[in-house]
Amino acid sequence: MSGADTNSNGQPPQWTPDSWRSKPIKQCPDYPDKAALAKSVSALKRLPPIVHPREIVQLKEHLRDVAQGKAFLLQGGDCAELFDYCEQNAIESKIKLLLQMSLVLLWGANKRVVRIGRMAGQYAKPRSSPMETLNGKQVPSFRGDILNGFHADERDLDPNRLVRAYHHSSATLNYIRAAISSGIADLSKPLDWGLGHVRDPALKAKYEKAVHFLQDMRSFMHTIGAENEKFHTVDLFTSHEGLLLEYEEPLTRLLDDPTAAQPRKAYYNTSAHFLWIGDRTRQLDHAHVEYFRGIANPLGVKVGPTTPTSDLLALLRALNPAREPGKITLITRYGAGKVASLLPAHIRAVEDSEYARTVVWQCDPMHGNTQSVGAGGIKTRRFSDIFSELQQTLRIHKEQGSYLGGVHLELTGDAVTECLGGSEGLDEDDLSTNYTSFCDPRLNEKQALELAFLIADHYRSERAEESV
Ligand code: PEP
Ligand code: CO
């Protein structure tokens, strides 16, 4: 399909928000109560957009800068967001952590940082098995709060959860916007961000150095009169895996394209600014790729050991026929032991094609590094594996002449004990202390900040080498 293959509404031919229904689909729930499903879908259809096309387009422009090496993308949040996380402290601690990390990255990479939360809608989870064992009993797997509940007596699919997801997503984003516009991110008082939780004195001193650097820069800008209102605040965009198409379809709206010189409409998914296709649902001829090819949002595609190199270009051609820079983020997640043998061919396939320099390369060092430990088979990840995949990815992009534009992390602002290692040296015995994830293990605030420093250090030493 070529870039010219669009109809008068700008969407690809033979595409409608429901054309995915005629394709084979993976991970699709079979709701027993079709009438209740229809009722929820029609309620979603008339509710207002959660995000606006103007914001979606703004993010796409930022991602174009990332694709061209001018900015860095930080994306992070829970593996499975719960409705219960729609609460002031949980939202604030995640915003603060993402801001702290982005400050460190800005200091290290010397580039603007674009922030996207896995927040305000990350409620649907793909599962490898339809059943799981809970307290010794076989029950339907937990598929995320938008489908069923974690507790054993809530495992049946409940279509009312679609509408509850909309309301929790909107309330979360509403509070993100309120907190940001009220100065949670005011760079003029970064020490109010609360560094109390950073216990390691060396890490704390490094962080304070970065903060002081930014404070000095701000006071310098003030002195020369170059201060800009925008500096007082930051943007935080939202994202989730676009897994549950029964939810995504009714929130897909034909709206004015804010970038068009002449009045023109396009289909926007208004449930989040950015959506991605997961590792289990990116089959070329299946429903998810069909749905995603018609929407104007920037999109992510997970790429892993099971992605044939030949699929990559076919995916880009299907999802981004106009070759818009920044439209597609390739989220690579191979695992520390596989990245070196698989990533180079994926990079060459894209960068030697007509898509060179159009994609954002983003490293997800989490999903290829999950393992079970101990007698109970607790799901965990080693900080050293996460860092190793990231470090190898940085090196490989450098060797290949491409740009690693971002990271995609599972993290939380709370002091959880779900990933092993880091400077606190969490070991297997510590995992049970505060393991609260209902899905994959997340980096805690300290491990997440530490990772940001390791990335910052990489860029700072690279710049130091270049200036010699
Ligand atoms: C995720 O991002 O939580 C996830 C399930 O990842 P993947 O699709 O890469 O396995
Ligand atoms: Co996950």
Side-chain angles (χ1 to χ4, degrees), residues 369-386:
N369 291 308
T370 315
Q371 56 176 245
S372 295
V373 296
I378 307 174
K379 225 189 201 192
T380 190
R381 291 162 173 155
R382 288 178 198 283
F383 187 87
S384 54
D385 289 339
I386 294 169

Side-chain angles (χ1 to χ4, degrees), residues 79-80 118 125 367 381 410 439-440:
C79 178
R118 283 175 66 115
K125 294 311 300 172
H367 287 90
R381 291 162 173 155
E410 287 184 341
C439 203
D440 291 339

Side-chain angles (χ1 to χ4, degrees), residues 77-80 85 118 125 127 364-373 377-383 386 408-412 414 416-421 426 431 434-444 447-448:
D78 296 290
C79 178
Y85 301 167
R118 283 175 66 115
K125 294 311 300 172
R127 300 310 305 255
D364 164 1
M366 314 298 293
H367 287 90
N369 291 308
T370 315
Q371 56 176 245
S372 295
V373 296
I378 307 174
K379 225 189 201 192
T380 190
R381 291 162 173 155
R382 288 178 198 283
F383 187 87
I386 294 169
H408 185 117
L409 303 171
E410 287 184 341
L411 51 81
T412 171
D414 305 327
V416 298
T417 52
E418 298 170 5
C419 290
L420 296 168
L426 288 183
L431 288 179
N434 192 24
Y435 195 111
T436 61
S437 176
F438 290 90
C439 203
D440 291 339
R442 302 158 295 179
L443 296 167
N444 63 29
Q447 291 168 327

